[in-house]
Amino acid sequence: MTDQRSQDIDLQEEAGAKFHRGSALSIFTSDRREDLMALGFALLIALGVYIFVG
């Protein structure tokens, strides 16, 4: 059996609603930094495709 508390390690509550914010094992210190890094990588990939395919 799994321990129910282990499933609630990243449980957040906002405006009365409970939700999981994501993985508790993230290497980033904040969600905003993770989002900005993902955007940067997506832009680099898009630029690479534009240059090498176009």
Side-chain angles (χ1 to χ4, degrees), residues 1 3 8 10 13-15 17 23-24 26-28 30-31 36-37 41 43-47 49-53:
M1 292 225 162
D3 184 8
D8 293 337
D10 60 348
E13 186 169 350
E14 185 175 316
S23 175
S26 178
I27 62 172
F28 298 98
S30 71
D31 288 339
L36 289 175
M37 290 296 292
F41 284 128
L43 289 173
L44 286 175
I45 292 170
L47 181 64
V49 169
Y50 178 76
I51 290 172
F52 292 111
V53 175

Side-chain angles (χ1 to χ4, degrees), residues 4 8 10-21:
Q4 182 59 34
D8 293 337
D10 60 348
L11 193 62
Q12 302 287 319
E13 186 169 350
E14 185 175 316
K18 290 184 180 180
F19 61 94
H20 289 273
R21 73 169 223 27

